[in-house]
Amino acid sequence: MQSNTFGKAFSITTFGESHGPAIGVVVDGCPPGLAIDLAHIRTELLRRGPGQSHLTTPRQETEDFEILSGIFEGVSTGHPIALIVKNKDHKSEDYLAMKHVFRPSHADLTYQKKYGIRDYRGGGRASARETLARVAGGAIAKQVLAKYQVEIQAFVGQVGHLSLADYTSIDYSGIQENAVRCPDPELATMMEKEIEKAKELGDSLGGVIGCHVLHCPVGLGEPVFDKLEADLAKAMLSIPAARGFDIGAGFASASMYGSAHNDAFDVEGEKIVTKTNHSGGVQGGISNGETIHFKVAFKPVSTIALAQDTIDIKGKKVILEAKGRHDPCVLPRAVPIVEAMAALVVCDHLLRYRCLADFVQGT
Amino acid sequence: MQSNTFGKAFSITTFGESHGPAIGVVVDGCPPGLAIDLAHIRTELLRRGPGQSHLTTPRQETEDFEILSGIFEGVSTGHPIALIVKNKDHKSEDYLAMKHVFRPSHADLTYQKKYGIRDYRGGGRASARETLARVAGGAIAKQVLAKYQVEIQAFVGQVGHLSLADYTSIDYSGIQENAVRCPDPELATMMEKEIEKAKELGDSLGGVIGCHVLHCPVGLGEPVFDKLEADLAKAMLSIPAARGFDIGAGFASASMYGSAHNDAFDVEGEKIVTKTNHSGGVQGGISNGETIHFKVAFKPVSTIALAQDTIDIKGKKVILEAKGRHDPCVLPRAVPIVEAMAALVVCDHLLRYRCLADFVQGT
Amino acid sequence: MQSNTFGKAFSITTFGESHGPAIGVVVDGCPPGLAIDLAHIRTELLRRGPGQSHLTTPRQETEDFEILSGIFEGVSTGHPIALIVKNKDHKSEDYLAMKHVFRPSHADLTYQKKYGIRDYRGGGRASARETLARVAGGAIAKQVLAKYQVEIQAFVGQVGHLSLADYTSIDYSGIQENAVRCPDPELATMMEKEIEKAKELGDSLGGVIGCHVLHCPVGLGEPVFDKLEADLAKAMLSIPAARGFDIGAGFASASMYGSAHNDAFDVEGEKIVTKTNHSGGVQGGISNGETIHFKVAFKPVSTIALAQDTIDIKGKKVILEAKGRHDPCVLPRAVPIVEAMAALVVCDHLLRYRCLADFVQGT
Amino acid sequence: MQSNTFGKAFSITTFGESHGPAIGVVVDGCPPGLAIDLAHIRTELLRRGPGQSHLTTPRQETEDFEILSGIFEGVSTGHPIALIVKNKDHKSEDYLAMKHVFRPSHADLTYQKKYGIRDYRGGGRASARETLARVAGGAIAKQVLAKYQVEIQAFVGQVGHLSLADYTSIDYSGIQENAVRCPDPELATMMEKEIEKAKELGDSLGGVIGCHVLHCPVGLGEPVFDKLEADLAKAMLSIPAARGFDIGAGFASASMYGSAHNDAFDVEGEKIVTKTNHSGGVQGGISNGETIHFKVAFKPVSTIALAQDTIDIKGKKVILEAKGRHDPCVLPRAVPIVEAMAALVVCDHLLRYRCLADFVQGT
């Protein structure tokens, strides 16, 4: 069944395996007449790309992309935009040894059982390399959102045990200034060391990404199943290695009293605002005009250099000593992925809402 | 746009407002030939229903339902099953005073702004009463799942500051033995007192629900966007007041090393198992045959009796003193709702997977 | 799989069997703030209803409907509108004799084989009675379209061998003036006699419905799969007994030269028009502002009083002498059904197109 | 909104413009473990390709395709299969003169009005070249169907005024033996001459394609909206230049009596059959095991060499003398397109139906 498509009004369909010929995306529903900024797409792909710092996998990919359709004389035509990136620096021979082995906490076993076949090279479709298609699609979504002044900022809030105390007051300018993408420079330095240490140990680390959607208009999201936070949750949990999502006060809200959690309404000039924002910018599933803020938890990377007990395809116990290049911690590279998925959700809901615009009084 | 439907192969479409004539659900995709257990549907509805204990809202509803279609001589026909529950004990006059006031952290403001109109009576479509339609649909999903031996057990793991230490080893028989639905009887007693205290204070409490999917077959879930955990996350965050979701080690995995988090494979007889289950039964988005376990965080109920600052529809500051009946803590009643949404997701993926059954070797 | 829903931006989900408790529809995506005209819905239901003239089945149904949700103080809220009609005058005993017999050209065999079970009473879900749900949903779609001045007019163009010479120049005022709903009064009289004759013979007749969509704005429909004529074709072929669809010059275009078929563009004042309209108002899948006109062919009713060879559920040859009330010719009652399905398609595409409105220059 | 995707269980998403870098398709839902026959895909593409005979456009394209994903060691993996064909022999300069002109009965005006922008080169997205993506996807669908012994045969039944008398008894072996793809060799010769004549006149011709689906299992199609004939109708009307669709006796059924049209059931050995097949293999929207047969009407090609009145983008009247290469009659090349779309519909419904297989007794 169709399962490689995300979004309704603005949708992406992705394809491609880590060591196949190419990774690609088809964006369906991009409004026409938009001057597409290719340099911005490239910047976004490089933010996600491998080899960007000593903290990431050394796989080298220039992430050169080709636009195959949907853009004419630099402008979107309203037709599907297809974009592909050819895979170049894949070393499939590294994976030959793992052809018959199920790597712990990877998709090897589940793919093999589900399909009776799997492309074992570099994780195939389960590789995080698939997310470049999302980042490309998300870049276009960001360009649509820019027309409505909506902006998205994600950042690393936690690596291993090191965590920001507060995920709501963020100096966005600090995010891009270090390899970890943590807005607190001191914490960033500590995180960097922590990642280097894990790398030396042949081990890996998880962490948490925070994300803010700024200037989101009121009214995005649907009352019941397609609540804005529900679609964000799905988007985030669809990212490889993501294990948790919460919005606003999130899991912490579980231990708050209602009187402390409720966001009192107030007025600033003509605008209705909330005095606090424990709701994370979403009430009843619909954006209320405040900053949308949420968190995404990532498990430590499953690929580690340390020897591990596992079994092979015949059910025989073996010791796995993994080869293949990988990141000791995906968090820095996950920042643009989280942003891309958030952009896709918000852009989708924004266009969905516009179809009612003729009918809503006073907006 | 269509947004009141959930699921692809097995879907529910819900309708109805808290104080409207009825709440209903249309189940599309229920396999034919299934003897539908109406008593079981009723039991599930009563588990969710109001007035079931001193901890819940005193609104009285017998939750009598009518089946309008799709069942013939007690058996599903393969056609849509429509089920409605008429609303009886609505006291809309309680809400008249709030007609022009935006209750903090409710959907009042966002609905009004999104649609330019709102049914203010009892929260309208935003009322948790809408979830009875999900519970009815989920009951049918559970009956389909029972054919495959899949079972779902949710429980209250946290109320306010009181929390289970471990969400994975649960004595399921204990869950139904107390009004709170916490499997630990001592903790349950403490939680009960905590809720009574909040009620007396005119305040409200949040908490956390844990949920286990038992005997889930290998292979459910799709690799990229429709990962099983992604669809579960969406399902859970679509529940009113849900604020967070995590699966397996979840947010705690963020501070683990990969070597500690990875679930080593092992063999038990013919069956491949994992020695630990930090993955929560899902790897690469697909069920691996272990117990699926996840958590859902709920914020404290927005309706409190304490006076609150807010504004009215004209933007004037007012003091709100809420009327209307409500729960001081939704957690006990959220247990069957979480189960229903989990059942819908798993049933949907199970049927989706069956369409490939002719093609998968060795399953 | 979900298959009882039609439409994306404006969708209906229908349920119910001919002799079950009720037939119903859930309209999802109706814009908010629309004063819903209940009398108009009723009028539409009665135009479709049984027993409206001596030409139709004598089954008596008042088509009283209940609105269960989505309308507050007479106005649409943006939430799903559920509407049901309880079945009253079902005489299921008429069908007992046919419980084990497959009626020729009915859905009896295919339902039995597909599902292994069937509700044989009155055709169950295959009954044309299901279309009342479409007519109710279509009535609401018409009310949305009225805001954009779009109007839909269907009419009977052929009954048996009697046919209009021209389906494009129609005096709409004549349609409602006779029981057949043929705009040509003389032809209508002949058709009426033809139907009466078929009724006496215990036989049945087919025919053709023509349909015009007036004042349709330019730009509705999508370039590739969701062409306006493709969605209309699906809508029409989903009507029970429909066997063919063509648009503009349709099947007749197959024998025309391009030079004769092409619609030359011209200008009338500020407006671009076409000198002819062989395209039927749609070019490249998208409405061009001319009247959309298409035809739908209906086979003769499968239920006839004459004895027929058939087999029973055990594969034994039997002679069927049908009971149950039925129409000798569905054409008159199909007029509002065709209009309803057309309204649903056009309304869906209109709302879909509105989501791009911010981006299209000069419209 | 997503509109470049067709199918639910087995879906294709297409992209690309006539003179853009490439045309492509993403097949989502192809079952795993299928040895994909690339030579067959190539054969299908060449059957549709330009320049295949003197009757078609002289544009030269080798239709070399690249598989970008979803196939591993020759076998489908269950992941999306992306396939692209680079455009080579486009002569965009031919279209420069038409940049500001709306060609009659083309999509020029409607695209320009809908999007405010259009890629005028070779018709852009409206070009029939887009259909190669469907043929590629359809080839894979045919390979899935072959596992179930389902076979699809389309043929040219009419060109201009020349028509087969009977579309149901076809010698399939004759179809591929002439450039026109008409199963009757004498008629084929006449059609060939008719097309040559139109070409000389600078004019164009339409016609009718017949299509048979052989050995289709009982049970495909859904009762209400997703009737098999409804999805076929949509599929066919989505083909460029298609103007009509009918199934079984189709439009001719409109003038038949029910007693003549009804297909009496009979038994052949263990199998239930019908004595006639006016239903075209589908009853109540569901396949009944007989041959599915339907027709598709195509208008004459809109591009003609003769001078035509039209207007330009500023609304000024101009005379168009078209350049650009084109077919005088699309019928021969439409045969594989009709087959592809039929294969996509039947494959989709076949997989959809398989998800219920565990529940249906006695099939």
Side-chain angles (χ1 to χ4, degrees):
Chain A
M1 194 169 310
Q2 196 193 10
S3 65
N4 291 276
T5 295
F6 186 81
K8 292 183 177 175
F10 185 99
S11 74
I12 62 167
T13 299
T14 73
F15 56 86
E17 287 84 35
S18 182
H19 291 201
I23 301 282
V25 63
V26 183
V27 177
D28 199 357
C30 181
L34 197 70
I36 301 293
D37 183 346
L38 300 180
H40 171 251
I41 297 176
R42 187 170 167 76
T43 300
E44 292 290 279
L45 287 176
L46 290 174
R47 286 176 73 210
R48 192 217 71 92
Q52 62 182 267
S53 83
H54 63 293
L55 301 179
T56 62
T57 168
R59 178 169 173 169
Q60 292 298 327
E61 296 283 358
T62 52
E63 309 296 25
D64 294 327
F65 61 89
E66 296 170 59
I67 300 281
L68 298 182
S69 66
I71 299 179
F72 179 56
E73 298 180 343
V75 175
S76 66
T77 57
H79 303 301
I81 300 173
L83 177 156
I84 61 170
V85 174
K86 297 222 165 122
N87 293 316
K88 289 170 188 162
D89 185 29
H90 40 59
K91 299 194 175 168
S92 301
E93 61 278 12
D94 287 354
Y95 290 86
L96 262 175
M98 285 179 285
K99 181 174 175 176
H100 301 303
V101 173
F102 296 138
R103 292 169 298 159
S105 291
H106 273 279
D108 296 349
L109 172 88
T110 49
Y111 276 36
Q112 186 72 44
K113 293 283 180 188
K114 182 180 182 80
Y115 298 115
I117 178 180
R118 83 180 201 278
D119 177 352
Y120 57 83
R121 302 164 308 163
R125 185 80 179 134
S127 167
R129 188 153 177 76
E130 172 269 331
T131 59
L132 81 78
R134 309 183 188 207
V135 170
I140 294 171
K142 282 183 176 181
Q143 294 182 28
V144 175
L145 289 174
K147 292 278 167 194
Y148 295 94
Q149 285 78 49
V150 182
E151 204 183 317
I152 296 174
Q153 294 277 2
F155 52 88
V156 172
Q158 182 181 336
V159 166
H161 282 94
L162 302 165
S163 175
L164 286 174
D166 174 15
Y167 279 69
T168 58
S169 305
I170 298 298
D171 172 10
Y172 304 121
S173 68
I175 302 170
Q176 313 308 336
E177 294 190 358
N178 56 72
V180 185
R181 298 201 168 103
C182 175
D184 176 330
E186 284 181 42
L187 192 63
T189 308
M190 292 165 69
M191 286 173 170
E192 198 167 328
K193 286 186 187 146
E194 192 73 9
I195 297 173
E196 286 162 357
K197 196 182 97 188
K199 195 176 175 183
E200 278 164 38
L201 293 171
D203 215 327
S204 66
L205 288 169
V208 176
I209 303 277
C211 185
H212 293 190
V213 182
L214 306 167
H215 320 308
C216 184
V218 182
L220 308 196
E222 300 289 335
V224 180
F225 300 115
D226 296 357
K227 287 186 166 80
L228 196 61
E229 64 267 45
D231 279 352
L232 285 168
K234 170 163 177 156
M236 297 307 145
L237 266 293
S238 79
I239 300 173
R243 298 274 96 192
F245 166 89
D246 69 2
I247 188 158
F251 272 89
S253 72
S255 50
M256 292 170 79
Y257 275 102
S259 55
H261 183 274
N262 277 0
D263 295 317
F265 285 116
D266 200 355
V267 185
E268 279 182 6
E270 294 285 287
K271 208 188 153 200
I272 298 171
V273 297
T274 60
K275 293 182 186 177
T276 51
N277 187 10
H278 297 119
S279 301
V282 183
Q283 289 173 331
I286 298 167
S287 61
N288 67 357
E290 302 294 317
T291 296
I292 295 169
H293 59 90
F294 60 84
K295 296 201 292 289
V296 190
F298 288 85
K299 69 176 184 176
V301 177
S302 299
T303 307
I304 57 176
L306 296 167
Q308 298 179 86
D309 289 339
T310 191
I311 58 158
D312 68 13
I313 205 168
K314 300 198 170 162
K316 216 183 92 182
K317 297 188 186 192
V318 292
I319 303 289
L320 171 71
E321 305 200 37
K323 284 181 185 171
R325 297 152 301 174
H326 57 89
D327 298 78
C329 178
V330 294
L331 274 285
R333 291 177 63 198
V335 166
I337 303 171
V338 165
E339 288 183 2
M341 293 308 297
L344 290 165
V345 170
V346 177
C347 183
D348 187 40
H349 276 284
L350 203 152
L351 294 180
R352 286 168 70 165
Y353 184 37
R354 294 310 293 159
C355 77
L356 300 184
D358 297 342
F359 292 88
V360 181
Q361 304 298 322
T363 50
Chain B
M1 194 171 310
Q2 197 192 8
S3 64
N4 291 278
T5 295
F6 186 80
K8 292 182 179 178
F10 185 99
S11 73
I12 60 166
T13 299
T14 73
F15 56 86
E17 287 82 35
S18 182
H19 291 201
I23 301 282
V25 63
V26 183
V27 177
D28 198 357
C30 181
L34 197 71
I36 301 293
D37 183 345
L38 299 181
H40 171 251
I41 296 176
R42 187 172 166 77
T43 301
E44 292 291 277
L45 287 176
L46 290 174
R47 286 176 73 211
R48 193 217 70 90
Q52 61 183 268
S53 84
H54 62 295
L55 302 178
T56 62
T57 168
R59 177 170 173 169
Q60 292 298 328
E61 296 283 357
T62 52
E63 309 297 24
D64 294 329
F65 61 88
E66 296 170 58
I67 299 281
L68 299 182
S69 65
I71 299 178
F72 179 56
E73 297 179 346
V75 175
S76 65
T77 57
H79 302 300
I81 301 172
L83 178 156
I84 61 169
V85 174
K86 297 224 166 120
N87 293 315
K88 290 171 187 161
D89 185 28
H90 39 62
K91 300 194 175 167
S92 301
E93 61 279 13
D94 287 354
Y95 289 86
L96 262 176
M98 285 179 283
K99 181 175 176 177
H100 300 302
V101 173
F102 297 138
R103 292 169 298 158
S105 291
H106 273 280
D108 297 347
L109 173 87
T110 50
Y111 276 37
Q112 185 71 44
K113 292 284 180 186
K114 183 180 182 80
Y115 298 115
I117 179 180
R118 82 179 203 277
D119 177 351
Y120 57 84
R121 303 165 305 165
R125 185 79 178 136
S127 167
R129 187 153 177 76
E130 172 270 331
T131 60
L132 82 78
R134 310 183 188 208
V135 170
I140 295 171
K142 282 183 175 180
Q143 295 181 27
V144 176
L145 289 174
K147 292 280 165 193
Y148 296 95
Q149 285 77 50
V150 182
E151 204 182 317
I152 296 175
Q153 292 276 4
F155 52 88
V156 172
Q158 182 181 336
V159 165
H161 283 92
L162 301 166
S163 175
L164 287 175
D166 175 16
Y167 279 70
T168 59
S169 305
I170 297 298
D171 173 10
Y172 305 121
S173 67
I175 302 170
Q176 313 308 339
E177 296 190 356
N178 56 73
V180 185
R181 298 204 167 101
C182 175
D184 176 332
E186 285 181 41
L187 192 62
T189 309
M190 292 166 70
M191 286 173 170
E192 200 167 327
K193 286 184 186 148
E194 191 73 11
I195 296 172
E196 288 161 355
K197 196 182 94 188
K199 195 176 173 181
E200 280 163 36
L201 293 171
D203 214 327
S204 66
L205 287 169
V208 176
I209 304 277
C211 184
H212 292 190
V213 182
L214 305 167
H215 321 305
C216 183
V218 182
L220 308 196
E222 300 289 334
V224 180
F225 299 116
D226 295 357
K227 287 185 166 80
L228 196 59
E229 65 267 46
D231 279 352
L232 286 168
K234 171 164 175 153
M236 298 306 146
L237 266 292
S238 78
I239 300 173
R243 300 272 93 194
F245 167 89
D246 70 1
I247 187 157
F251 272 89
S253 72
S255 51
M256 292 170 80
Y257 275 102
S259 55
H261 182 273
N262 277 0
D263 294 318
F265 285 117
D266 201 355
V267 185
E268 277 182 7
E270 295 285 288
K271 206 190 156 200
I272 298 171
V273 298
T274 60
K275 294 182 187 177
T276 52
N277 188 11
H278 298 119
S279 300
V282 183
Q283 289 174 331
I286 298 166
S287 61
N288 68 357
E290 302 294 319
T291 296
I292 296 169
H293 60 88
F294 60 86
K295 297 201 292 288
V296 190
F298 287 84
K299 68 173 186 179
V301 177
S302 298
T303 306
I304 56 177
L306 295 168
Q308 297 179 85
D309 290 338
T310 191
I311 58 158
D312 68 14
I313 205 169
K314 300 200 172 162
K316 215 183 91 182
K317 299 190 185 191
V318 294
I319 303 290
L320 171 72
E321 303 200 40
K323 287 183 184 169
R325 297 151 300 175
H326 58 89
D327 298 78
C329 178
V330 294
L331 273 286
R333 292 176 61 199
V335 165
I337 304 171
V338 164
E339 288 184 0
M341 292 308 296
L344 289 165
V345 169
V346 177
C347 183
D348 187 40
H349 276 284
L350 203 153
L351 293 180
R352 286 168 70 165
Y353 185 39
R354 295 309 295 158
C355 76
L356 301 183
D358 296 342
F359 292 88
V360 181
Q361 304 296 324
T363 48
Chain C
M1 193 170 313
Q2 197 194 8
S3 64
N4 292 278
T5 296
F6 185 81
K8 293 183 176 177
F10 185 99
S11 73
I12 60 166
T13 299
T14 73
F15 56 85
E17 287 83 36
S18 183
H19 292 201
I23 302 281
V25 62
V26 183
V27 177
D28 199 357
C30 181
L34 198 70
I36 300 294
D37 182 345
L38 300 181
H40 171 251
I41 297 176
R42 186 171 167 77
T43 300
E44 293 290 278
L45 287 176
L46 289 174
R47 286 175 73 210
R48 193 217 71 89
Q52 61 183 269
S53 82
H54 63 294
L55 302 179
T56 62
T57 168
R59 177 168 173 171
Q60 293 298 328
E61 295 284 356
T62 52
E63 309 298 23
D64 294 327
F65 62 90
E66 296 170 57
I67 300 280
L68 299 182
S69 64
I71 299 178
F72 178 56
E73 299 179 345
V75 175
S76 66
T77 57
H79 303 300
I81 300 172
L83 177 156
I84 60 170
V85 173
K86 297 224 165 121
N87 293 316
K88 289 171 188 162
D89 185 29
H90 40 59
K91 300 196 174 166
S92 302
E93 60 280 13
D94 287 352
Y95 291 86
L96 262 175
M98 286 179 282
K99 181 174 176 177
H100 300 302
V101 173
F102 296 138
R103 293 169 297 159
S105 292
H106 272 281
D108 297 348
L109 172 88
T110 50
Y111 276 37
Q112 186 72 42
K113 292 285 179 186
K114 183 179 181 81
Y115 299 115
I117 177 180
R118 84 179 200 278
D119 178 352
Y120 57 83
R121 303 166 306 165
R125 185 78 178 135
S127 167
R129 187 152 176 77
E130 171 270 330
T131 60
L132 82 79
R134 309 183 188 207
V135 169
I140 294 171
K142 282 183 176 181
Q143 295 182 27
V144 176
L145 289 174
K147 293 277 166 195
Y148 296 94
Q149 284 77 51
V150 183
E151 204 183 317
I152 296 174
Q153 293 277 2
F155 52 89
V156 171
Q158 183 181 337
V159 166
H161 282 94
L162 301 166
S163 176
L164 287 176
D166 174 16
Y167 279 69
T168 58
S169 303
I170 298 297
D171 172 9
Y172 304 122
S173 66
I175 303 171
Q176 313 308 339
E177 296 191 356
N178 56 73
V180 185
R181 297 203 169 103
C182 175
D184 176 330
E186 286 180 40
L187 193 62
T189 309
M190 293 165 69
M191 287 172 170
E192 201 167 327
K193 286 183 186 149
E194 192 72 12
I195 297 172
E196 286 162 357
K197 195 182 95 187
K199 196 176 172 183
E200 279 163 38
L201 293 171
D203 214 327
S204 65
L205 288 169
V208 176
I209 303 277
C211 185
H212 293 191
V213 182
L214 306 166
H215 320 307
C216 183
V218 183
L220 308 196
E222 299 289 333
V224 180
F225 300 115
D226 295 358
K227 287 184 167 80
L228 197 59
E229 64 267 46
D231 279 352
L232 285 169
K234 171 164 176 155
M236 298 307 145
L237 266 294
S238 79
I239 299 173
R243 298 273 96 192
F245 167 89
D246 68 2
I247 187 158
F251 273 89
S253 72
S255 50
M256 291 171 80
Y257 275 102
S259 55
H261 183 274
N262 277 0
D263 295 318
F265 285 117
D266 201 355
V267 184
E268 278 182 7
E270 295 285 287
K271 206 189 156 201
I272 298 172
V273 297
T274 59
K275 293 182 188 176
T276 51
N277 188 11
H278 297 120
S279 300
V282 182
Q283 289 173 331
I286 298 167
S287 60
N288 68 357
E290 302 294 319
T291 295
I292 296 170
H293 60 90
F294 61 84
K295 296 202 291 289
V296 190
F298 287 84
K299 67 173 186 180
V301 178
S302 299
T303 306
I304 56 178
L306 296 167
Q308 298 179 86
D309 289 339
T310 191
I311 58 159
D312 69 12
I313 205 168
K314 299 198 170 161
K316 216 182 92 182
K317 298 189 187 192
V318 294
I319 304 288
L320 172 70
E321 304 199 39
K323 287 183 185 169
R325 297 152 300 174
H326 57 89
D327 298 79
C329 177
V330 294
L331 274 284
R333 292 176 63 201
V335 166
I337 304 171
V338 165
E339 288 183 1
M341 292 309 296
L344 289 165
V345 169
V346 177
C347 183
D348 188 40
H349 275 284
L350 204 154
L351 294 180
R352 285 168 71 165
Y353 184 38
R354 295 310 294 158
C355 77
L356 299 184
D358 297 342
F359 291 88
V360 182
Q361 303 298 322
T363 49
Chain D
M1 195 172 309
Q2 196 192 9
S3 64
N4 292 278
T5 295
F6 186 81
K8 291 182 177 176
F10 185 98
S11 74
I12 61 165
T13 300
T14 73
F15 56 85
E17 286 85 35
S18 183
H19 291 201
I23 301 283
V25 62
V26 182
V27 178
D28 198 357
C30 181
L34 197 71
I36 301 294
D37 183 345
L38 300 181
H40 171 252
I41 297 176
R42 186 171 168 76
T43 301
E44 293 290 279
L45 287 176
L46 289 174
R47 285 176 73 211
R48 193 218 69 91
Q52 61 183 269
S53 84
H54 63 295
L55 301 178
T56 61
T57 168
R59 178 169 172 169
Q60 292 297 327
E61 295 283 357
T62 53
E63 309 295 25
D64 294 328
F65 62 87
E66 297 171 58
I67 300 280
L68 298 182
S69 65
I71 300 178
F72 179 56
E73 297 178 345
V75 175
S76 66
T77 56
H79 302 300
I81 300 174
L83 177 155
I84 60 169
V85 174
K86 296 223 166 121
N87 294 317
K88 289 170 189 163
D89 185 28
H90 40 60
K91 299 195 175 166
S92 302
E93 60 279 13
D94 288 353
Y95 291 86
L96 261 175
M98 286 179 284
K99 183 174 176 176
H100 300 303
V101 173
F102 297 138
R103 293 169 298 158
S105 291
H106 273 280
D108 297 349
L109 172 88
T110 48
Y111 277 37
Q112 186 72 41
K113 293 285 180 187
K114 183 180 181 81
Y115 298 115
I117 179 180
R118 83 180 202 275
D119 178 352
Y120 56 83
R121 302 165 308 164
R125 185 80 178 133
S127 169
R129 189 155 175 75
E130 173 269 332
T131 60
L132 81 78
R134 309 184 187 206
V135 170
I140 294 172
K142 282 183 176 181
Q143 295 182 27
V144 175
L145 289 174
K147 292 279 165 192
Y148 296 95
Q149 286 77 49
V150 182
E151 205 182 317
I152 296 174
Q153 293 276 3
F155 52 88
V156 172
Q158 182 181 337
V159 166
H161 283 95
L162 302 165
S163 175
L164 287 175
D166 175 15
Y167 279 70
T168 59
S169 304
I170 298 297
D171 173 10
Y172 304 122
S173 67
I175 302 170
Q176 314 307 337
E177 295 190 358
N178 57 71
V180 185
R181 298 202 168 101
C182 175
D184 177 329
E186 284 180 42
L187 191 63
T189 309
M190 291 166 69
M191 287 173 170
E192 199 167 327
K193 286 185 187 147
E194 191 73 10
I195 297 174
E196 286 161 357
K197 195 182 96 188
K199 196 177 173 182
E200 278 163 38
L201 293 171
D203 215 327
S204 66
L205 288 168
V208 176
I209 303 278
C211 185
H212 293 190
V213 182
L214 306 166
H215 319 307
C216 183
V218 183
L220 308 196
E222 299 289 334
V224 181
F225 300 115
D226 295 358
K227 288 186 164 79
L228 197 59
E229 64 268 46
D231 279 353
L232 285 168
K234 170 164 176 154
M236 297 308 145
L237 265 294
S238 79
I239 300 174
R243 299 273 94 192
F245 167 90
D246 69 2
I247 188 157
F251 273 89
S253 72
S255 50
M256 293 171 77
Y257 275 102
S259 55
H261 183 274
N262 277 1
D263 296 316
F265 286 116
D266 201 356
V267 184
E268 279 181 6
E270 295 285 288
K271 207 190 155 199
I272 298 171
V273 298
T274 59
K275 293 181 186 176
T276 50
N277 188 11
H278 297 120
S279 300
V282 182
Q283 290 173 332
I286 298 167
S287 61
N288 67 357
E290 302 295 317
T291 296
I292 296 169
H293 60 89
F294 60 84
K295 296 201 292 290
V296 190
F298 287 85
K299 68 173 185 179
V301 177
S302 299
T303 307
I304 56 177
L306 295 168
Q308 297 179 86
D309 289 338
T310 192
I311 57 158
D312 68 13
I313 204 169
K314 299 198 171 162
K316 216 182 92 183
K317 298 189 185 191
V318 293
I319 304 290
L320 172 71
E321 303 200 40
K323 286 183 185 170
R325 297 152 300 175
H326 57 89
D327 298 78
C329 178
V330 295
L331 274 286
R333 293 176 62 198
V335 165
I337 303 171
V338 165
E339 288 184 1
M341 293 309 296
L344 289 165
V345 169
V346 177
C347 183
D348 187 41
H349 276 284
L350 204 153
L351 294 180
R352 285 168 71 165
Y353 185 38
R354 296 308 295 160
C355 77
L356 300 183
D358 297 344
F359 292 88
V360 181
Q361 304 298 322
T363 50

